[in-house]
Amino acid sequence: MAELSYAQVSALLKYDSETGKLYWLERPVEMFSDAFLGSEWSAKKWNTRYAGKEAFTALDGGGYHYGQIFKRPHRAHRVGWLLHTGFWPEHQIDHINGVRTDNRIANLRDVTHAENNKNNCLRSDNYSGHPGVGWCNKRKMWRARIMELGRETHIGYFTDFDTAVQIRKKAEIDHNFHPNHGRD
């Protein structure tokens, strides 16, 4: 099935770029074809129940708002991007502040998977409190490393934790990581 066009989606939904919320628009009778009850009745029933109300309020397993258009699921941030820019995102949509339900256009950017990974939050299994810095029992030192494009680069071993963190942060700048990378 082909991707929905801007014209199709903009006839159904309105996007508030300041709040990041989507709202259902009133649908004309022509959008309904109900032979049993009649198109006018179906349109009135749908518009009474949904028109002007917030859309895409359900949360998926990943914590993103989503909803359905013509019985196909869509994530709210991608639909918001379409309605704001006029085209579907080319890659992934990154929530700059890391809040997956914050769909304000100022918080969204169209980036590659690799760029999106450079704005990750701190992993739940990180015990040092800083990404890419961990204790090496074998050497009894702090180890700094960085991952980019699926490859791990060893930065070095350090006796001082703060030095390991500083060197890792410099590597993040050198590798163009987003300033929010590693946030809690």
Side-chain angles (χ1 to χ4, degrees):
M1 182 180 231
E3 204 166 71
L4 296 171
S5 69
Y6 170 79
Q8 289 172 305
V9 177
S10 65
L12 302 172
L13 292 159
K14 179 181 86 169
Y15 173 63
D16 183 342
S17 61
E18 296 295 315
T19 65
K21 294 182 179 183
L22 293 163
Y23 297 93
W24 292 114
L25 294 174
E26 188 168 317
R27 295 186 182 181
V29 174
E30 297 81 40
M31 288 185 128
F32 298 87
S33 58
D34 193 331
F36 181 69
L37 296 171
S39 298
E40 286 184 27
W41 184 86
S42 295
K44 183 178 180 182
K45 181 179 177 188
W46 193 94
N47 286 324
T48 301
R49 186 170 181 187
Y50 297 108
K53 303 229 169 69
E54 189 176 350
F56 288 61
T57 57
L59 289 177
D60 68 11
Y64 297 98
H65 283 292
Y66 80 99
Q68 290 192 5
I69 303 173
F70 301 131
K71 298 183 181 178
R72 288 185 55 209
H74 294 276
R75 286 186 167 168
H77 54 275
R78 295 184 67 80
V79 173
W81 184 270
L82 168 70
L83 292 173
H84 184 77
T85 64
F87 54 88
W88 287 103
E90 198 173 321
H91 303 289
Q92 296 180 350
I93 294 294
D94 177 31
H95 289 79
I96 297 167
N97 66 6
V99 179
R100 294 175 176 178
T101 56
D102 182 357
N103 295 320
R104 295 173 296 121
I105 198 65
N107 188 46
L108 304 178
R109 62 186 187 138
D110 185 7
V111 296
T112 64
H113 179 70
E115 283 297 308
N116 202 1
N117 282 341
K118 291 181 177 185
N119 188 21
N120 284 338
C121 62
L122 190 64
R123 290 174 45 129
S124 61
D125 62 352
N126 181 300
Y127 295 106
S128 73
H130 294 277
V133 176
W135 180 252
C136 178
N137 277 329
K138 187 176 182 180
R139 293 185 182 240
K140 304 293 186 217
M141 298 175 85
W142 291 99
R143 178 179 183 213
R145 58 188 174 165
I146 195 162
M147 288 282 288
E148 185 174 26
L149 298 174
R151 292 186 164 180
E152 181 182 302
T153 302
H154 173 74
I155 300 171
Y157 292 102
F158 306 91
T159 55
D160 181 54
F161 174 73
D162 292 332
T163 303
V165 170
Q166 286 175 340
I167 298 295
R168 164 56 197 228
K169 286 187 183 282
K170 183 183 179 321
E172 288 177 12
I173 293 167
D174 294 345
H175 290 268
N176 298 315
F177 275 60
H178 194 277
N180 287 347
H181 184 76
R183 70 196 168 276
D184 281 332

